Amino acid sequence: MVAKNFNIKKELFSYFLVILGSALFAAGDVMFVNPYHLAPGGTYGLSNVLNTVWPWRISYYAICMDIPLLLIGTWILGPRFGVKTVLSTILIFVFTWVLESVWGYNPVVLIGQIVKEQPQDLTSWMDIPHGGGWFMPDFVVNTILSGLIYGVAIGLIFKGGATSGGSDIISMILHKYTKISLGTLVMIVDGCITLSTLIAFKQVRLPIYSILIIAIESYMIDLIVDGLRTDKTLFIVTDKYDTVRDFILNELHRGGTAILGQGLYQGKERHMIYCNLSRADFVKLKSNLRFLDPDAFVNVVNSSEIMGRGFRTLPLS
């Protein structure tokens, strides 16, 4: 009964994350990305370009692409898009539509003033009065904020169990019929969308800033999904097994697994210790290992998530 209640709370919280992430994504797109004519990939990135070239609501452009992509993706790839992905698609459309209606496409002026009426183009922004001088659009600060907002938004959506859908479905379909990796195809599709700003607005800085948004966004997604903690997974090949083992058990108070292997060159049997350590414990072992066994061979791997005793609790479902 307790586990059932816990799962209900966890499921409700996951839906809350999807809703919050969808709202943040819409705010980032309408208030930060679109006013600067940026397009950091995805259907909403392409919608930003189309919205400026042929004025129509971003939300209308995006939903006209997202729904057919979901249907085609389900037909070709199978039912891999869950309820939360469909919900996120609808919520982002709704939040974007509301912001377009209430806020418009006015930029948030990063020095503290809100522009009430959007100029016709980027060059006329410098004519907007602010205090005793003139406002100059700050592309760098806006790019950083856009990447942070996008990253947190999509990270929350992923954390809630939904996927981004959109243009990623195109990459999944191409991946099914080609030998190109999915990661490469995602980069190609989003890259083409990003480069559309150069074609539409003839400004080299726009795709550059859009790529920076993608980089910041990717980092933030990893941060939200995996967290700050990065543990270390170690594979230690040593001839002084007992010495290293005792240090790990008695000084670090950690466990591990001993694996008996054979060297390829001399065919000699050697012990390999597999263990997982926190950053602090890894530093202690690293500083002492040259005294424990100066000839040890150590392979260190960053592990974003380790579950089990002494680390994160295993999920109930």
Side-chain angles (χ1 to χ4, degrees):
M1 188 67 179
V2 175
K4 185 177 179 181
N5 291 336
F6 174 80
N7 289 337
I8 291 174
K9 291 180 180 178
K10 183 178 179 181
E11 190 68 11
L12 289 174
F13 183 68
S14 69
Y15 276 98
F16 168 74
L17 293 179
V18 172
I19 294 170
L20 180 59
S22 301
L24 278 175
F25 183 90
D29 189 71
V30 175
M31 301 168 72
F32 291 89
V33 174
N34 177 269
Y36 279 74
H37 296 177
L38 302 174
T43 54
Y44 278 82
L46 183 56
S47 298
N48 288 331
V49 177
L50 295 174
N51 164 261
T52 307
V53 178
W54 298 294
W56 199 34
R57 290 194 176 216
I58 300 170
S59 55
Y60 293 163
Y61 275 121
I63 202 68
C64 285
M65 289 184 276
D66 283 339
I67 290 179
L69 283 173
L70 281 172
L71 293 175
I72 294 170
T74 302
W75 175 50
I76 295 177
L77 303 172
R80 64 172 64 183
F81 308 107
V83 174
K84 291 177 184 175
T85 296
V86 176
L87 175 64
S88 176
T89 300
I90 296 171
L91 285 174
I92 292 175
F93 163 75
V94 171
F95 286 130
T96 302
W97 185 88
V98 170
L99 281 172
E100 288 173 308
S101 303
V102 175
W103 179 270
Y105 301 110
N106 303 317
V108 175
V109 179
L110 303 173
I111 51 178
Q113 181 177 323
I114 296 175
V115 177
K116 297 300 183 183
E117 295 183 4
Q118 185 183 17
Q120 293 295 320
D121 53 61
L122 288 172
T123 56
S124 61
W125 279 12
M126 64 183 66
D127 297 326
I128 300 172
H130 177 74
W134 305 100
F135 165 68
M136 292 292 292
D138 194 327
F139 275 87
V140 175
V141 177
N142 184 77
T143 297
I144 294 172
L145 286 176
S146 299
L148 291 174
I149 294 171
Y150 260 28
V152 171
I154 298 176
L156 290 174
I157 292 171
F158 285 173
K159 194 85 170 177
T163 59
S164 57
S167 63
D168 289 350
I169 298 174
I170 299 173
S171 304
M172 294 178 190
I173 294 172
L174 292 173
H175 175 66
K176 181 177 180 178
Y177 296 106
T178 66
K179 295 182 180 180
I180 304 173
S181 70
L182 184 59
T184 301
L185 287 169
V186 169
M187 289 178 61
I188 292 172
V189 173
D190 283 345
C192 290
I193 294 172
T194 298
L195 288 174
S196 67
T197 57
L198 178 61
I199 299 170
F201 308 120
K202 305 297 189 295
Q203 294 191 40
V204 176
R205 64 180 174 180
L206 296 182
I208 293 174
Y209 284 122
S210 296
I211 291 169
L212 285 175
I213 290 177
I214 295 173
I216 297 170
E217 172 192 333
S218 300
Y219 175 79
M220 289 304 299
I221 290 172
D222 291 340
L223 191 63
I224 295 296
V225 174
D226 297 327
L228 282 169
R229 181 173 178 178
T230 302
D231 296 306
K232 306 291 183 180
T233 296
L234 278 72
F235 298 89
I236 307 170
V237 180
T238 176
D239 288 326
K240 298 183 178 179
Y241 165 73
D242 291 330
T243 304
V244 178
R245 170 185 174 275
D246 290 343
F247 184 86
I248 294 172
L249 291 176
N250 301 323
E251 297 297 328
L252 302 181
H253 305 288
R254 289 289 184 180
T257 302
I259 303 170
L260 187 61
Q262 188 178 57
L264 291 179
Y265 183 65
Q266 294 181 337
K268 179 182 177 182
E269 285 192 348
R270 304 184 71 183
H271 283 93
M272 181 173 71
I273 299 174
Y274 162 76
C275 64
N276 297 294
L277 302 176
S278 65
R279 283 179 178 174
D281 288 337
F282 169 67
V283 171
K284 292 178 185 177
L285 177 62
K286 186 177 179 181
S287 61
N288 285 277
L289 198 55
R290 66 172 179 265
F291 303 111
L292 300 172
D293 182 4
D295 297 320
F297 178 85
V298 185
N299 183 24
V300 183
V301 181
N302 287 327
S303 301
S304 60
E305 187 169 23
I306 299 174
M307 296 178 287
R309 186 174 179 180
F311 295 89
R312 296 181 182 178
T313 306
L314 289 166
L316 296 177
S317 63

